[in-house]
Amino acid sequence: MPELPEVETVRRGLRRALVGAAVSSVQIFEPRLRWPVPSAQLHALVGARLLEIERRSKYLLFRFDRGTLLAHLGMTGSFTVTDEHITPPRRKHDHVEFQFERALCVRYHDPRRFGSMHWMEGDIHPLLDALGPEPLSDAFDGNVLHAALRNRAAPIKSALMDNHVVVGVGNIYANEALFRAGIHPNRAAKSLSLTRCIRLADEVKKILAEAIAAGGSTLRDFVNSAGEPGYFQQSYFVYGRADAPCKICAEGTKNTQNPKTRTILTMRHNGRATFYCPKCQR
DNA sequence: CTTTGCACCTGTTGGC
DNA sequence: TGCCAACAGGTGCAAA
């Protein structure tokens, strides 16, 4: 389930392999992604040279000399590159294939088809219009976060996952950042002091940077552009650890007196699983 | 304006 | 063993 670190990991791998190469062929096996793929524009990429691959939020922007391909991985999407001079056998759920010069083969694979591809002329696209600040940029910090939460009565967990507040923070890293910042996921967003917003923004930046350094997280199906998993899931404090002892406050205790207070609990926010430690998070 | 719930989709898991 | 419901969740969109 790619969040910002996973998309960034894919971007870096694709970028190293592909920038400077020209497209030699395009095949669309399944155009029905979240929205129909722009078939005509994709086929018209034959002969186009890839100049750069950028990222905005969880979107990948493939900059070609004749326009930009915008792609989102949704929940289960992956781009992988092979250069074996033999086209690998097509797997189930391989939906789009780009052949580049130097025998590079790029496959888009997406079992659930929540991902999407769009064609963009210039820098304008409706899907990018209303996005909030990039969490790893100077446009996002504790002051910005505090201001964005001013009128938000919703739980901080929900607000943190709202793309208008900050982009790229999905369910996993929202849970983990709140734990690291010591903030209860149910706390009303607007009730957070500036001090706590500074702490939270800092933890968001740190966890995303750490996850990128670890090559992202692989819970089920995430793979980078070389088909390899990430390793950051080993660093989770709360996500997926329901009923397990808190790694911080239950550490070294026999956990006999009042085990409930040192155990990771779950609740739901907007249909998504929330994990938290009731002792460490207030 | 904020907030919530739904739809989209398939593979995996757990209970009976 | 087999069957089916529940679950996983990114995010645009409709609706409250």
Side-chain angles (χ1 to χ4, degrees):
Chain A
M1 35 213 78
E3 298 185 30
L4 187 148
E6 290 73 38
V7 177
E8 178 63 18
T9 297
V10 170
R11 184 189 75 86
R12 293 179 182 187
L14 292 176
R15 185 176 184 276
R16 189 167 57 236
L18 298 174
V19 162
V23 176
S24 51
S25 75
V26 176
Q27 281 182 277
I28 300 169
F29 305 116
E30 174 55 85
R32 297 173 305 163
L33 300 185
R34 185 171 185 191
W35 291 283
V37 302
S39 300
Q41 289 98 331
L42 291 191
H43 287 303
L45 278 174
V46 174
R49 192 163 300 277
L50 183 64
L51 305 176
E52 181 55 286
I53 304 175
E54 297 167 11
R55 180 188 57 74
R56 173 74 173 107
S57 185
K58 297 173 191 169
Y59 290 95
L60 292 167
L61 286 73
F62 296 81
R63 302 289 195 184
F64 288 94
D65 54 16
R66 59 190 66 170
T68 299
L69 170 63
L70 189 62
H72 197 291
L73 301 178
M75 284 289 303
T76 55
S78 61
F79 277 105
T80 51
V81 185
T82 54
D83 61 351
E84 297 167 11
H85 295 268
I86 299 171
T87 304
R90 187 155 73 87
R91 296 175 302 162
K92 192 178 182 183
H93 305 306
D94 280 349
H95 303 315
V96 181
E97 175 182 303
F98 303 87
Q99 294 278 352
F100 284 74
E101 58 190 0
R102 303 199 297 268
L104 295 165
C105 176
V106 178
R107 288 266 175 78
Y108 181 71
H109 178 86
D110 189 356
R112 295 173 69 176
R113 308 208 313 271
F114 279 10
S116 59
M117 294 186 192
H118 315 264
W119 186 250
M120 182 167 79
E121 312 260 343
D123 278 332
I124 309 298
H125 195 282
L127 291 173
L128 304 180
D129 266 357
L131 293 176
E134 283 290 325
L136 293 175
S137 75
D138 291 340
F140 179 70
D141 62 19
N143 286 296
V144 170
L145 180 60
H146 190 248
L149 299 181
R150 190 183 312 258
N151 296 321
R152 300 292 196 120
I156 181 59
K157 166 85 175 338
S158 301
L160 197 55
M161 293 180 65
D162 184 335
N163 274 344
H164 296 95
V165 174
V166 62
V167 302
V169 183
N171 195 43
I172 293 169
Y173 296 108
N175 276 300
E176 294 296 321
L178 286 171
F179 175 84
R180 290 179 177 217
I183 296 169
H184 195 291
N186 250 0
R187 173 169 288 281
K190 65 182 180 184
S191 77
L192 289 176
S193 66
L194 175 58
T195 303
R196 301 195 85 193
C197 285
I198 291 170
R199 173 75 188 281
L200 179 55
D202 191 45
E203 295 295 350
V204 167
K205 287 174 186 282
K206 286 201 306 199
I207 196 165
L208 295 178
E210 286 175 30
I212 291 169
S217 299
T218 297
L219 291 183
R220 226 177 244 112
D221 39 30
F222 170 73
V223 290
N224 66 18
S225 64
E228 305 155 340
Y231 294 96
F232 190 71
Q233 67 278 9
Q234 296 168 6
S235 304
Y236 293 171
F237 283 99
V238 290
Y239 185 85
R241 299 193 65 247
D243 302 324
C246 176
K247 288 184 179 180
I248 299 299
C249 71
E251 186 72 22
T253 71
K254 288 285 190 269
N255 207 12
T256 50
Q257 289 194 324
N258 195 353
K260 263 297 177 197
T261 61
R262 298 176 188 277
T263 297
I264 305 303
L265 303 182
T266 59
M267 55 171 65
R268 296 187 83 77
H269 290 99
N270 308 101
R272 281 163 196 88
T274 297
F275 302 86
Y276 68 104
C277 172
K279 186 165 190 297
C280 294
Q281 295 173 257
R282 306 284 174 162

